[in-house]
Amino acid sequence: MKNTKNIMMSILMGGVALSCFSTAEASSNSLVTVTKDQAVCYTNQKLTKKVKLKKEKVYQLVGNKKLKGQSYYLISEGNFKGYILPTQVTTLKAQKENQFVVASKNTTSWKDLNQTNKKLTIKKDSIYKVKYAYRLGNGQVYYSIYQNDAKENMKWKGYIASKDIHLLKKEKVSVEKEYQKAADYPIYVAVNKAQCNNDLYGNHKNQTLKKDQTVFVRCIYRVNQQKSYYSVSDENHWLGYVQGKDLSSKISSKQKKELEKLVHDYQEISSKIPAESLNKKDTKQVISFVHSTQKVLKDKHASATAGYYWNFTLGNALNQWRLNTSGDENMIQYAKKYVESAPESRKEQVKEAIKKAEVALKQYATVPHYKEYQKAMQALSFQIQ
């Protein structure tokens, strides 16, 4: 009983302890809030002395007593306040919550629900986690708010009026229709040393992202029309939250250079390799992809999604196209049969040439290493002549 009393007093007088008062009827040591305007509270048992209470005030219920044939609640606010009819109060309940909110203006958080002891000065646009909500007798709601500190420990930041905050909106990313089959929504870092935080409060810096680094957006948290936070990851892991102003959804100069290189690679392959040695079906597909990539490069409003998509798609297609060239694969298979009947003095040389050719076919088929690829194939051809 003594411990319960201490918990009730902590909410009245400014502590951080929270208890869920879910009983339908008021009971001793619960909290009540005044629901009648100018509610009468008698300060003596003869009911001759009285004070008027504000509608939103919160008190601790410390007992019940019959006076002049009627039941009265005994209420306290640290010190005994008086006697009040049950019809003028209601039990204060803590409603569990689990959401992020944003301060709509510079305001104050309180240590107590009667707003008599200031806790903190709350800055506009700061973000907090809500764990409990309290509806006072005048209908106004107060939230119990929390934030992580620099060590990622959740700390209580007081009670704040619902009128001074708004819900932090969580938005899904919108992917361009032609790229909706892509599993991720890529975007790139537009500034040097973009700060990436572990939490939305901005109190714990996780890492710094480099300019032109590609990241993938999981969702967006909209603080207001000018400010937002993006939850981002790389290809394998979640990274954290980055301010939207530090990111760009437009195609980057780095992506453009990569796409230009792929188009150049295609042109180099098609100019150096006889058409009859290339797979016709793959060639047709690659040409189509090259044309689409060239359209993206000409588009002044092209997105980072388009840049990423065609970099990945055309790059893979070029690689597969080169791997599927019939001449080189057949030459390796022929060389493996040839080595069985080759003179002992040449077997090791042929085996080594086969090994290098296989590595070249897998690793150097994309044109950045085409010269090394061509060299390995010529060496193998020389060994089996």
Side-chain angles (χ1 to χ4, degrees), residues 97-101 128-131 133 143 165 167-168:
E97 299 282 348
N98 183 26
Q99 58 188 2
F100 290 102
V101 295
Y128 296 89
K129 179 74 172 287
V130 172
K131 287 194 175 184
Y143 289 111
I165 59 174
L167 187 66
L168 180 64

Side-chain angles (χ1 to χ4, degrees), residues 11 37 79 137 154 187 193 216 272 316-317 319 325 355:
I11 294 181
D37 198 24
N79 296 315
M154 189 66 78
I187 203 167
K193 298 181 179 180
F216 302 94
K272 289 186 176 181
N316 278 353
N319 186 49
T325 57
K355 184 178 178 181

Side-chain angles (χ1 to χ4, degrees), residues 30 75 127 136 230 264 309 317 360 364:
S30 66
I75 58 174
I127 299 173
L136 303 187
Y230 284 61
H264 178 266
Y309 179 85
Y364 302 146

Side-chain angles (χ1 to χ4, degrees), residues 6 26 42 51 123 130 187 206 221 224 261 263 302:
N6 289 338
Y42 294 97
V51 293
K123 292 183 179 181
V130 172
I187 203 167
N206 180 23
Y221 291 90
N224 53 43
K261 185 68 169 64
V263 172

Side-chain angles (χ1 to χ4, degrees), residues 258-285:
E258 290 171 345
L259 292 180
E260 288 168 353
K261 185 68 169 64
L262 288 174
V263 172
H264 178 266
D265 291 349
Y266 157 75
Q267 293 168 343
E268 187 174 352
I269 291 176
S270 59
S271 66
K272 289 186 176 181
I273 301 173
E276 59 270 16
S277 68
L278 296 172
N279 183 292
K280 291 182 180 180
K281 182 180 178 181
D282 290 344
T283 301
K284 185 177 180 181
Q285 184 185 57

Side-chain angles (χ1 to χ4, degrees), residues 11-39:
I11 294 181
L12 280 170
M13 304 307 292
V16 299
L18 289 170
S19 177
C20 291
F21 314 118
S22 56
T23 54
E25 296 181 359
S27 58
S28 183
N29 289 314
S30 66
L31 291 180
V32 293
T33 179
V34 179
T35 56
K36 301 292 183 181
D37 198 24
Q38 296 293 302

